[in-house]
Amino acid sequence: MFRHPLSLFLLLPAILFAGCMERTGFLPNQDPSLRKLDKQFTADAANRFPYKDSAPRGTTDARAEVDYMFKYVGIANLSDTPWKDVEVWINRQYVVSVSAWPKDSLKRLQFSMFRDERGNWFTTDSGRHPIKTVEVYTDGKMYDIPLFLAD
């Protein structure tokens, strides 16, 4: 098929690039419900807006860790109860939904999973948009999640 080994070497990056264009993150997410195409994240986020300003506030045992180098937010549900039909909000402007979140579990959410109301994903390119707040909306309540920087 390929007469010259160099042609395969040159073609391989193009194939890999094309295969990654519709993925968020390099490796598949551990949660199958988060293995979506970009357009699916966009459509799902559009259904979550507007931000639920009037939702009652609650407290829960959780922790969020942001890693700007690898571009993800790791959130641990440290509570005694699982979360269902969860919306994770960054800066009250970007959202991603998670169908189920077991108690005592950690999820890594790539920045590219979070979308605003126009479908733009969260980015920190050029030092813009640092994460100031991480909130979880579940069971009709909004929860502030303490935020830490990754080591």
Side-chain angles (χ1 to χ4, degrees):
M1 181 170 151
F2 293 102
R3 292 189 179 153
H4 196 282
L6 184 59
S7 62
L8 178 61
F9 179 74
L10 295 174
L11 187 59
L12 186 60
I15 293 170
L16 290 174
F17 178 74
C20 293
M21 287 177 60
E22 281 288 326
R23 292 180 55 184
T24 53
F26 184 69
L27 298 173
N29 197 292
Q30 291 179 343
D31 182 345
S33 72
L34 291 172
R35 296 179 196 156
K36 300 176 186 176
L37 299 175
D38 285 341
K39 57 188 164 194
Q40 291 171 307
F41 281 112
T42 299
D44 186 56
N47 293 327
R48 308 288 171 176
F49 280 89
Y51 173 82
K52 287 127 183 98
D53 247 341
S54 59
R57 308 298 286 192
T59 59
T60 188
D61 289 329
R63 174 188 168 112
E65 182 177 86
V66 62
D67 191 319
Y68 289 107
M69 181 178 209
F70 294 105
K71 300 182 180 186
Y72 74 85
V73 178
I75 302 175
N77 174 4
L78 303 173
S79 70
D80 293 332
T81 58
W83 298 338
K84 294 181 182 174
D85 300 319
V86 180
E87 295 177 8
V88 180
W89 289 84
I90 291 178
N91 299 344
R92 298 181 173 208
Q93 184 179 358
Y94 297 88
V95 66
V96 66
S97 66
V98 181
S99 58
W101 204 314
K103 64 182 182 174
D104 294 324
S105 69
L106 170 72
K107 295 207 184 273
R108 285 191 176 178
L109 305 171
Q110 297 294 325
F111 288 174
S112 58
M113 294 176 177
F114 290 89
R115 303 302 165 105
D116 68 11
E117 61 188 331
R118 292 180 303 278
N120 302 313
W121 64 77
F122 179 79
T123 182
T124 57
D125 293 345
S126 304
R128 298 178 302 157
H129 305 296
I131 297 177
K132 295 177 181 131
T133 61
V134 175
E135 297 167 291
V136 168
Y137 178 76
T138 185
D139 294 327
K141 288 186 179 179
M142 190 68 76
Y143 301 92
D144 291 315
I145 307 298
L147 180 63
F148 300 89
L149 290 177
D151 293 333

